[in-house]
Amino acid sequence: MAATSKRSAEPGREAWALMHRFVEAHNRRRELADALGFRLGGGRGKILFQLRDGPKTLSQLADANRLDAPYATLVVDKLEAHGLVERRPHPDDRRRKLVTLTDAGHDAIATADAILLRPPPAIDTLPAEDLGQLTELLTRLLDADEAKAKAEE
């Protein structure tokens, strides 16, 4: 079935539905789970990727993911059980802990990036100009999300 349809009265909804359909058709959750030996669901993947920029406290991770502290602790516990992160004392306040990636965590992120950032073959069928436009539009959407999040702070 072709992805084209009659123009919707709600173009934003139609665009979102098409993006969602395309991404879901090419999801690589199973491939990623097979490569890592476990699934990164339940917020584990999101927190793992956030740690690539450096250690964070549990409260920073909870706030960034809109989680309550006990659930953030549970997610970090699971990542720690897989050997991907470790807790270390905070250098300025030993009562707080910093969550940091282990070597295995860095390796897991590299594996995930290799799998998740590999474009589906259909992407290669678009001319460079179309890819440039798509990239520009997606960048604008991400920028708008970031601006909205900052305005809500």
Side-chain angles (χ1 to χ4, degrees):
M1 173 167 54
T4 58
S5 65
K6 292 180 185 177
R7 288 290 170 211
S8 169
E10 299 180 67
R13 186 179 185 95
E14 181 181 14
W16 176 248
L18 290 169
M19 282 192 299
H20 184 267
R21 186 171 146 201
F22 182 78
V23 169
E24 280 301 307
H26 298 283
N27 91 62
R28 299 193 175 112
R29 282 178 234 139
R30 174 167 284 170
E31 183 181 352
L32 183 59
D34 289 346
L36 296 177
F38 57 90
R39 296 179 69 86
L40 279 179
R44 291 184 299 272
K46 195 172 182 183
I47 285 179
L48 184 70
F49 296 135
Q50 288 168 347
L51 292 170
R52 81 166 81 216
D53 296 327
K56 297 194 178 354
T57 64
L58 279 168
S59 46
Q60 286 173 318
L61 292 169
D63 290 346
N65 293 285
R66 296 188 170 136
L67 303 173
D68 60 24
Y71 189 75
T73 298
L74 180 66
V75 172
V76 169
D77 286 346
K78 290 186 184 245
L79 290 170
E80 195 170 36
H82 287 292
L84 303 177
V85 302
E86 62 185 12
R87 291 176 174 96
R88 295 182 178 166
H90 193 287
D92 300 328
D93 181 354
R94 296 186 76 62
R95 294 170 295 173
R96 296 185 332 168
K97 300 287 184 196
L98 283 175
V99 181
T100 186
L101 289 172
T102 62
D103 288 342
H106 286 287
D107 291 346
I109 288 173
T111 297
D113 283 345
I115 292 168
L116 298 175
L117 299 180
R118 185 181 69 239
I123 294 286
D124 293 332
T125 67
L126 294 176
E129 182 179 330
D130 289 353
L131 287 172
Q133 289 177 338
L134 179 60
T135 300
E136 181 182 334
L137 290 170
L138 292 171
T139 300
R140 286 172 41 199
L141 289 172
L142 290 169
D143 289 347
D145 267 355
E146 188 176 317
K148 185 174 189 267
K150 284 182 182 178
E152 291 175 353
E153 289 178 353

